[in-house]
Amino acid sequence: DNGASWSFVGYALEQYWSTLFTMPNDDGLYLIGTSGDNSKEPAVIAIQRSADLGQTWNRTVILSAQSGYSTGPTPALLANGRVWRAFEYNRGAWGSGYDALLVSAPIGSDLLDASNWVQTKGLPFSAVASNIPADWSVPGFVKDFGWLEGNAVLGPDGAVYNVLRVNSHPVANKAAVLRVPDFNQPPVFDRFLDYFPGGASKFSVRRDPTTGWWVTLSNNITDESIHQAPGCLNVPYNASAVRGDTLLSCSGLNLLSCTPGQVDCRGDSRNLLTLAVAKDFYTWSAVAVLLQDDTGFPAWASYLFTGFHYVDWQFDGDNSEDIIMAVRTAYRGANCYHNSNRITFKAIPNWRSLT
C-alpha cells in the first residue's frame, strides 16, 4: 500500500550493516553485509538469498577468507558486467585503521558460490592521509581523521569508484573518492572532496538513470543544525548531568575537549536531512532540506537528542521521478541522537523539482 502499513516477514540471521538487492533474470532477493558488528566480534563478509521475498533465507555464505570487516548499509552496484559492494577491513583504530576495498562477482553467476567473488586489495587510510588539506585542522582541537562506509558508484568515465564517509573532526562535510581500475586491482586514491554535504555521517550515493546526476540524502552540517561548528555549546544544566552515562554512551559525542557544562559540537549533528546532488560527480550542492527538528529544542538539545540518519533509499516510479526512503530516526523520546527510537518511511514525489 505504498508504505502506509508494514508487517513482520521473517528473520535473516548473521547479517549486519546489510544491503538488499536484486539481480537481472533472477527472482531471488539477496542480502549482503557482515556477519556481525566488527567492533564487538570479528566479522566476515556474508551473503544470503531468499526465494520468497524475505520470509526465509538460505544458509549464510561467507565471501571473505578472514574476519575483521566493517561496512554500512550502502548500495550494491550493477556495473561493467559485475555486481559490486564496498567494505572496509579493520587493521586498527575506528576509521583511521580501515582499509577501503570492494568485492564483486559477474552478473549471471551463482552469487552463493564464494569462488565467483573477487575481493580487491585494500587501500589503507594511512596511505592517503598525507593528502588531507591543511585547513581541515583547527587550532586547539584534536584531529580525528579516518574513513568508513564506502559506496560503490559508477563514475563519469565508466569506471567504478568508492565514495567514502570521512570522519574529519574537527571539520565536517568531507568525503573521499577512490577509483577502481578493475575488479582484481586495488582502488587508487583520486581525491578528498572539500565539500560533500553530510560527509561526516553515513550516506548512500546513487546515480539517477534519467539525468545521470549523482544523488544522496545526507546530514549536511550547517550553523542551523549545529549552532556553530567547530565549537562548544553551553549546556544550561549541571556538568554531572551532561557527563552522565546516557550521553557518554552516545556514539559521536566528545565532551573531553570542552570545559565542564559544555558539549563539543564538531560536526556530529544529524538533525537535518538534506537532498544533495552532483551533476559532474565531484561538485556537490545541498539543494533541499527534507527533514528538520520541529520539537522546539534549543540548539544544544536538538544536537543531542534528534537524528534523521543512516537513510536507505531508492529511486521509484516512472523515470525514477520519486524517491522512497527508510530513516533511522531519533525523535521525541530517544536517549540521544545516535540511538533511534523509531524507523520512519517517507516518500519524495517528483524529487527533481527540488533541485
Side-chain angles (χ1 to χ4, degrees):
D1 55 9
N2 290 321
S5 59
W6 293 79
S7 58
F8 173 78
V9 174
Y11 290 108
L13 303 179
E14 300 177 308
Q15 286 288 340
Y16 203 83
W17 293 318
S18 303
T19 302
L20 288 166
F21 68 98
T22 58
M23 296 294 291
N25 304 313
D26 184 339
D27 59 3
L29 181 65
Y30 291 88
L31 190 62
I32 187 171
T34 59
S35 59
D37 181 350
N38 191 64
S39 66
K40 296 180 173 62
E41 60 183 22
V44 296
I45 299 175
I47 189 171
Q48 291 173 278
R49 183 181 184 273
S50 173
D52 52 18
L53 295 179
Q55 295 181 63
T56 59
W57 296 85
N58 69 286
R59 63 179 178 81
T60 301
V61 175
I62 298 172
L63 301 183
S64 55
Q66 55 189 341
S67 60
Y69 292 86
S70 295
T71 185
T74 57
L77 171 69
L78 274 63
N80 301 338
R82 305 182 71 84
V83 56
W84 305 77
R85 179 66 155 77
F87 286 88
E88 292 79 47
Y89 182 73
N90 185 357
R91 294 186 182 278
W94 181 85
S96 62
Y98 286 4
D99 294 1
L101 58 94
L102 292 92
V103 298
S104 69
I107 294 175
S109 66
D110 181 1
L111 300 187
L112 299 184
D113 182 348
S115 67
N116 288 325
W117 288 86
V118 176
Q119 177 179 311
T120 69
K121 186 178 180 180
L123 179 64
F125 180 79
S126 58
V128 305
S130 61
N131 296 286
I132 295 173
D135 61 3
W136 287 19
S137 300
V138 176
F141 285 82
V142 177
K143 293 181 290 186
D144 187 18
F145 300 141
W147 62 22
L148 62 158
E149 298 174 334
N151 291 253
V153 183
L154 187 64
D157 59 354
V160 172
Y161 286 75
N162 189 359
V163 182
L164 292 112
R165 166 187 174 185
V166 172
N167 187 55
S168 55
H169 296 161
V171 294
N173 299 327
K174 313 298 182 185
V177 180
L178 313 180
R179 188 177 187 274
V180 185
D182 207 346
F183 70 91
N184 57 358
Q185 297 182 24
V188 177
F189 177 74
D190 184 7
R191 68 192 72 187
F192 285 112
L193 298 181
D194 197 54
Y195 181 63
F196 183 97
S201 297
K202 182 264 176 183
F203 55 83
S204 291
V205 175
R206 290 185 168 88
R207 193 172 187 183
D208 176 16
T210 300
T211 64
W213 301 344
W214 291 266
V215 181
T216 192
L217 311 183
S218 56
N219 299 118
N220 190 29
I221 303 299
T222 68
D223 285 351
E224 289 74 24
S225 68
I226 193 175
H227 182 66
Q228 289 282 322
C232 294
L233 288 178
N234 290 314
V235 177
Y237 53 80
N238 67 65
S240 61
V242 177
R243 294 173 182 271
D245 291 341
T246 297
L247 294 185
L248 283 179
S249 66
C250 183
S251 176
L253 288 182
N254 187 320
L255 310 180
L256 302 181
S257 61
C258 288
T259 59
Q262 293 184 321
V263 172
D264 183 358
C265 287
R266 301 188 303 165
D268 288 321
S269 68
R270 300 177 181 179
N271 56 2
L272 190 70
L273 182 64
T274 56
L275 169 67
V277 171
K279 297 182 179 181
D280 67 354
F281 189 55
Y282 295 110
T283 307
W284 287 83
S285 300
V287 296
V289 173
L290 303 176
L291 294 172
Q292 57 187 326
D293 194 352
D294 64 358
T295 61
F297 282 157
W300 65 268
S302 178
Y303 165 69
L304 289 178
F305 296 113
T306 302
F308 312 110
H309 49 137
Y310 273 70
V311 181
D312 200 7
W313 63 274
Q314 296 280 354
F315 294 115
D316 194 42
D318 296 336
N319 299 315
S320 302
E321 63 187 8
D322 304 326
I323 286 176
I324 53 175
M325 58 180 174
V327 186
R328 170 175 142 187
T329 305
Y331 181 73
R332 296 185 182 270
N335 71 340
C336 82
Y337 79 95
H338 181 272
N339 303 333
S340 62
N341 62 332
R342 63 193 76 191
I343 301 293
T344 52
F345 172 84
K346 295 182 179 292
I348 311 171
N350 193 20
W351 67 269
R352 295 187 198 95
S353 66
L354 301 176
T355 66

